[in-house]
Amino acid sequence: MATTIAPVATISLPYPGRILRSSWCPDKDLVVIVSKFAHQERLSLWKMSGSKKWEVDLPEGTAESRDKEVVDIAWSPDVQSIAVVSNPGLISIHSIQNGAVERSIPIDVSGSRTRLTGTWWFREEKKSTGQGLPEVFKRGDNITGTAHAILRNLPLLDPIQDDTKPLTSTELFAFHGGRNRAAQAPPVPPVITTWPSLPTDLAAASIASNKPDAQQSFPEAEDEADNTNVNSILAVADSLGKIHLFLEGSYPLGSVRIGNNAAPRSLYKLREHLFAHPGPAADLRSAAVPLRPVVLQLPYLTGRHFRDVARVSSSARELVWYAMRVVKDMRNLWFGSETNSGARDLGPKWVRALEDRQRNEFGQDDPYPLLDLTCLLTTGRTSEALMDYLGSGEHMSERSMQRWETTMVEALTRLRDLAEKRVAPACQRLQLLLQEVRGWAALPQYDVCNFQAFDLEACLDMTARAIVISAWLAAGARKELIRFKEFMKWLRYEIARVNAPDHQQPRPQHDILEVNDYLTSGLVVSQLDKFFLGPVPQFMPDSMGRPQNTNITFALRKARAALNRWDQTVHEDVRRVELGHVDRNIDALVQALAGSCQRIFEDASKAAARSAVLVAGSLADVDAATGDRAEGLGAGGASAAPLIRERTVRGSSQADNFIQYLAIRPPHAPGGGRSYLCVARLQQGLGLTSSVPTVEVAALECCAPVEGSDEPEPFSVLDVDFFDEELLVLVYRQGAATCVATVGYANLIYHPIPAHAYVTGTTRETLMGDVLARLASGQLPSAGATPIIQSRALKGCRDGGVTLAVNGRAGRRVSCVLDGTGMTVEVLDMEGEDEDEELELDEEEAGEAGAEGSG
């Protein structure tokens, strides 16, 4: 038989692997293979030619690596990411470029027996707007006047240094390099990892990226941006009958239930509707799957509100995480970290050295260094111990003084800049977003989000406190910097005075009051310490200043008094407000703010699931169908489980309906007999939810002619899958040969099967039994031998089972077959060159050339 099925490559795996039905990349010649080595499953991407592109381990989850098992994969609509679902519950999104984990999403599966069963990634159905008027107030995803539109026009916040970037040769070999060893990625706190968020978009949060190759957002390039993934839905099913939904593969939309202890065999999305065919979760190969789908409507997905909330949640997360990291840097800069000492320790260390000298070398039982320093400052007289200390070279050398001064000046300057240029602007941007959410809380279309005005006001109050404390911290750092510089001037003056002769005494250049303030509240105990210690601040920003009197009569009387007594002050009642007792721990405040905001947005993210409405089907029917196996093949003691593949295509007559094709290979009966491959066609959709599905069946006998004979010989179907809208790809074994073939199913003659109107929960298992019974009784005619269009014998797969994966998209048209050992994958081009035709052409050309030569 002439064939255009051409072998492309044979991939020999180093250790056993497996392929999944969705292993082929939709628009590239790439295939995913899951392999297992040393009790650990790995994910690898192979080119069709047989070369490996990359191989990665599964990310660490809540369980040991040896317990992980890949269940299913799904390709993102833009085909730049792969969603990998593994057990115990974990979703990892891998980059197609190098396999790196872009994000990891744990799924809370209660109980050790609960597991994930499958995944699907649906592209958004774009609505045609026609020739109507354009949205003149819309700029990309932003509408004029919204918080994101305002953020877009603000300057970007400075990026945070990425400590995980590769080290340069300068940093590796520098003596005092900023980073002389590779740093580990800092751990992300749970409040950030559990915060609902879309894929990272720093520009939307008005934050600059620290990656030089990051895509920048330009207004003129917005129309050219790839928005294939926008509003796409990643669905992940578990064995409890839940479907977990994620917007753009990241933002959780909650979970909807389609049954108890049921897992969907197929899932189809039509706008805001989900069509699911659940079956028993205990046996994913079971055919006890209702023919009628469970139809769920998610009305919250019809508008733009869900995406607006998701974008605000994502930007708020980026801003809070930005503020948390900056505050942590400030704390480490002042108090130090596990690896570096803080600038805060230099002053007490210097005072302790003076105290040790007073006690050990000068015999003072109760030394008080600050008293000696204050006496020297005010009277110019110094004790013997202090004079000896100032004249020593160990602590008072110019190098030591310069290092102390440089460290403190850099630390205080950076504290000032971080507080007023990073933390305060980040909190101001967060306040814009929260104010917009507070406005949404008053609108009825956002009721399903459960926005509570009290919680939002509490977050806004904390944001206002953070802004005030940031400005307070910047002012405190600026004041302490001035005092420290005066203190260093005084120290240098005293050192020079001790070492200079009497007739060459230096002139003082310091401010004695500033030096005294630093001695009392800066050298040993600093006012800046309170910004990182203590409880969460609870003060109201209005209480920080003088209370305002809003009485207009009193204000006018005070103004007239000021005019009448222009030569005297009229502000006798203005006094300095004492703020020493006010808590100002910005670290604790930002942590509390993060927790409160995360709870608000986490509750709002489940709005789509809360809005779910059961349109058709019954969860009770699903439980009955999946819990009680129908009689027939299942009770007859079949020797093998049925093989069922399905394909859903959009109906051409009505937009709300679709056609579902089922390729069913019933299990072989123990007594032998004919084997069939049944192709069923079901009409389903929104317009048919109230009626029993119309079922049409074509029964193909599993037999085909062998080479050299016209008589059909029986074969056994090893695997089958739908290739496109017209062809099936079949792997069968006939005698000692294992072949791959294409079979046309679009032009088959389908015969209707009377609907079981009295059984609303008719299952695929029941349908198989009914079809075989009708074939045996002659009520259903057989379609004859399987109409194989073309076939090719495989090089391997001589015995055992096989696994088939296909890609029938235009321009790809490939398939691959994994043998039973899991060690060899044969890649085939289903529309390659016909070798027989090539041979005939070569012989004709050779004959013509010989005739010309003889002539």
Side-chain angles (χ1 to χ4, degrees):
M1 178 186 293
T3 179
T4 61
I5 302 177
V8 176
T10 300
I11 303 175
S12 297
L13 302 178
Y15 27 82
R18 54 193 177 95
I19 59 176
L20 306 170
R21 290 189 61 198
S22 54
S23 283
W24 277 108
C25 179
D27 65 353
K28 297 177 179 63
D29 293 329
L30 301 171
V31 63
V32 171
I33 298 178
V34 180
S35 53
K36 193 168 188 177
F37 177 71
H39 304 286
Q40 180 177 0
E41 289 208 328
R42 312 189 73 188
L43 195 73
S44 57
L45 186 68
W46 295 73
K47 296 182 180 179
M48 189 177 73
S49 58
S51 61
K52 182 162 60 176
K53 186 175 175 65
W54 49 257
E55 185 175 22
V56 296
D57 294 326
L58 294 179
E60 292 295 331
T62 56
E64 297 295 333
S65 299
R66 57 185 176 85
D67 297 328
K68 294 178 183 176
E69 178 189 8
V70 175
V71 175
D72 198 2
I73 66 171
W75 299 82
S76 63
D78 63 356
V79 201
Q80 294 301 313
S81 303
I82 308 172
V84 180
V85 174
S86 58
N87 282 319
L90 183 68
I91 306 170
S92 55
I93 309 297
H94 296 256
S95 170
I96 193 177
Q97 303 299 328
N98 53 14
V101 178
E102 296 177 347
R103 53 192 174 275
S104 182
I105 308 172
I107 301 294
D108 183 17
V109 286
S110 55
S112 59
R113 300 183 63 181
T114 305
R115 63 191 188 281
L116 304 181
T117 58
T119 183
W120 301 261
W121 203 328
F122 301 106
R123 180 196 304 256
E124 182 194 25
E125 300 178 30
K126 306 294 183 181
K127 297 180 180 180
S128 57
T129 56
Q131 301 297 326
L133 294 176
E135 294 188 51
V136 295
F137 293 109
K138 188 175 180 181
R139 299 292 184 271
D141 282 341
N142 301 326
I143 295 179
T144 303
T146 60
H148 275 105
I150 299 174
L151 292 180
R152 185 175 178 273
N153 295 322
L154 295 177
L156 299 180
L157 297 175
D158 294 335
I160 294 179
Q161 180 182 355
D162 187 1
D163 292 333
T164 62
K165 291 190 297 185
L167 298 178
T168 63
S169 58
T170 304
E171 293 173 325
L172 282 172
F173 299 103
F175 182 71
H176 287 297
R179 292 195 299 140
N180 50 19
R181 63 178 181 270
Q184 299 294 328
V188 182
V191 69
I192 297 299
T193 57
T194 58
W195 192 312
S197 172
L198 294 171
T200 302
D201 185 4
L202 295 177
S206 190
I207 302 174
S209 174
N210 57 3
K211 297 180 181 179
D213 57 343
Q215 298 179 357
Q216 300 296 328
S217 177
F218 297 101
E220 56 270 18
E222 285 187 351
D223 295 336
E224 302 176 3
D226 184 6
N227 59 354
T228 310
N229 272 3
V230 173
N231 289 343
S232 62
I233 302 294
L234 175 65
V236 178
D238 65 18
S239 58
L240 292 179
K242 294 181 181 179
I243 299 177
H244 307 266
L245 305 175
F246 300 87
L247 180 63
E248 299 180 15
S250 178
Y251 182 83
L253 297 173
S255 60
V256 294
R257 183 177 292 276
I258 59 170
N260 295 316
N261 300 320
R265 301 300 191 266
S266 66
L267 193 65
Y268 182 72
K269 181 177 179 292
L270 180 62
R271 296 192 300 277
E272 73 275 16
H273 293 84
L274 289 177
F275 295 79
H277 289 83
D283 183 6
L284 297 180
R285 297 184 302 170
S286 170
V289 180
L291 296 181
R292 288 184 58 182
V294 175
V295 184
L296 294 174
Q297 182 184 15
L298 304 173
Y300 186 62
L301 299 181
T302 56
R304 58 169 294 139
H305 311 305
F306 75 101
R307 178 165 179 81
D308 290 340
V309 174
R311 293 186 68 218
V312 168
S313 175
S314 304
S315 296
R317 174 189 180 272
E318 296 297 340
L319 289 169
V320 170
W321 180 220
Y322 180 90
M324 291 174 66
R325 285 178 289 178
V326 173
V327 171
K328 181 180 178 181
D329 290 344
M330 295 165 59
R331 183 185 182 91
N332 292 340
L333 187 67
W334 188 242
F335 282 104
S337 60
E338 296 178 356
T339 56
N340 299 316
S341 59
R344 170 68 181 80
D345 298 332
L346 297 179
K349 182 178 180 181
W350 185 82
V351 173
R352 284 195 301 270
L354 174 57
E355 184 178 358
D356 292 341
R357 178 162 299 205
Q358 289 174 330
R359 179 183 294 109
N360 299 330
E361 298 184 14
F362 291 90
Q364 297 184 15
D365 296 334
D366 191 13
Y368 192 14
L370 290 181
L371 178 61
D372 289 354
L373 291 171
T374 305
C375 182
L376 176 62
L377 174 65
T378 55
T379 65
R381 297 179 180 179
T382 178
S383 63
E384 184 179 358
L386 181 56
M387 180 179 296
D388 180 73
Y389 187 73
L390 294 177
S392 65
E394 180 181 359
H395 297 283
M396 305 307 298
S397 66
E398 182 59 30
R399 182 177 180 181
S400 299
M401 297 285 292
Q402 185 66 33
R403 184 177 180 181
W404 184 8
E405 183 176 18
T406 301
T407 302
M408 287 296 296
V409 170
E410 289 181 354
L412 292 172
T413 303
R414 186 157 175 77
L415 281 176
R416 178 198 64 195
D417 293 343
L418 291 178
E420 66 182 3
K421 295 181 180 180
R422 292 196 180 185
V423 179
C427 293
Q428 291 167 353
R429 287 159 171 76
L430 177 62
Q431 194 170 42
L432 284 174
L433 296 171
L434 293 176
Q435 287 174 346
E436 184 168 64
V437 176
R438 182 176 60 181
W440 290 344
L443 299 177
Q445 54 265 40
Y446 292 94
D447 287 345
V448 69
C449 295
N450 288 348
F451 289 130
Q452 302 297 325
F454 176 80
D455 296 335
L456 290 169
E457 290 295 341
C459 289
L460 284 169
D461 290 341
M462 284 190 283
T463 307
R465 291 190 198 105
I467 296 172
V468 172
I469 293 177
S470 299
W472 194 358
L473 173 58
R478 186 179 293 107
K479 183 183 296 184
E480 184 140 334
L481 178 60
I482 295 173
R483 293 175 176 174
F484 175 76
K485 289 181 177 180
E486 295 298 323
F487 172 74
M488 296 305 294
K489 290 180 184 179
W490 173 67
L491 274 186
R492 285 192 170 92
Y493 164 74
E494 295 295 346
I495 294 173
R497 194 166 68 90
V498 169
N499 298 323
D502 295 338
H503 62 279
Q504 293 183 358
Q505 290 295 314
R507 296 179 57 186
Q509 297 180 349
H510 57 275
D511 187 332
I512 188 174
L513 296 179
E514 296 291 351
V515 176
N516 184 65
D517 287 342
Y518 189 76
L519 288 176
T520 56
S521 61
L523 183 60
V524 178
V525 178
S526 173
Q527 291 295 323
L528 298 182
D529 298 348
K530 295 183 178 180
F531 290 96
F532 305 101
L533 302 174
V536 179
Q538 301 292 336
F539 68 87
M540 296 303 295
D542 296 341
S543 64
M544 301 298 292
R546 178 70 184 174
Q548 298 295 323
N549 196 318
T550 57
N551 191 321
I552 187 64
T553 304
F554 177 81
L556 290 174
R557 187 182 304 117
K558 193 171 184 179
R560 293 192 185 99
L563 291 174
N564 295 333
R565 295 187 294 169
W566 58 270
D567 57 339
Q568 300 180 21
T569 179
V570 294
H571 300 288
E572 297 87 353
D573 58 341
V574 176
R575 298 184 305 272
R576 180 179 177 181
V577 180
E578 178 58 40
L579 301 177
H581 65 284
V582 178
D583 295 323
R584 63 197 78 169
N585 187 348
I586 191 171
D587 191 6
L589 178 61
V590 171
Q591 297 288 342
L593 176 61
S596 299
C597 291
Q598 187 269 344
R599 288 189 292 271
I600 291 175
F601 287 112
E602 184 180 25
D603 192 22
S605 67
K606 301 174 183 177
R610 284 195 292 265
S611 70
V613 178
L614 183 64
V615 176
S618 172
L619 301 186
D621 294 341
V622 172
D623 296 339
T626 58
D628 300 329
R629 298 291 303 272
E631 296 182 359
L633 291 179
S639 60
L643 178 64
I644 302 178
R645 299 289 184 261
E646 53 193 280
R647 178 182 177 87
T648 301
V649 297
R650 182 66 65 87
S652 57
S653 58
Q654 297 184 17
D656 289 343
N657 294 339
F658 57 90
I659 301 175
Q660 184 184 44
Y661 287 94
L662 299 175
I664 305 175
R665 185 215 62 187
H668 304 292
R674 293 182 179 180
S675 297
Y676 291 92
L677 176 63
C678 302
V679 182
R681 184 170 63 187
L682 294 81
Q683 300 285 341
Q684 295 182 348
L686 293 177
L688 304 173
T689 55
S690 59
S691 60
V692 177
T694 302
V695 182
E696 299 173 302
V697 176
L700 308 176
E701 296 184 17
C702 294
C703 60
V706 296
E707 186 174 357
S709 174
D710 294 335
E711 293 297 326
E713 296 291 336
F715 61 73
S716 58
V717 177
L718 302 180
D719 205 350
V720 64
D721 206 348
F722 289 91
F723 192 60
D724 56 17
E725 295 183 358
E726 296 181 354
L727 299 176
L728 283 166
V729 175
L730 185 71
V731 180
Y732 64 91
R733 183 170 292 133
Q734 194 173 38
T738 302
C739 303
V740 60
T742 57
V743 177
Y745 70 92
N747 297 323
L748 294 175
I749 299 176
Y750 291 87
H751 301 277
I753 299 295
H756 294 273
Y758 58 91
V759 181
T760 58
T762 302
T763 64
R764 297 174 182 177
E765 193 173 31
T766 306
L767 175 63
M768 283 192 299
D770 195 6
V771 168
L772 293 182
R774 289 176 180 275
L775 285 170
S777 63
Q779 299 180 24
L780 178 67
S782 170
T786 303
I788 294 178
I789 299 176
Q790 56 181 348
S791 67
R792 171 176 287 279
L794 298 173
K795 295 180 181 179
C797 307
R798 299 299 181 183
D799 52 14
V802 300
T803 307
L804 172 69
V806 301
N807 183 8
R809 292 198 177 189
R812 301 273 81 87
R813 316 292 288 176
V814 291
S815 65
C816 63
V817 181
L818 177 69
D819 65 2
T821 64
M823 300 295 293
T824 304
V825 179
E826 295 188 40
V827 182
L828 303 158
D829 185 352
M830 306 304 290
E831 292 185 354
E833 297 292 338
D834 191 332
E835 292 184 356
D836 294 337
E837 291 181 1
E838 288 182 358
L839 182 59
E840 293 176 1
L841 290 174
D842 292 341
E843 292 176 352
E844 291 178 0
E845 291 176 357
E848 293 176 358
E852 292 177 357
S854 62

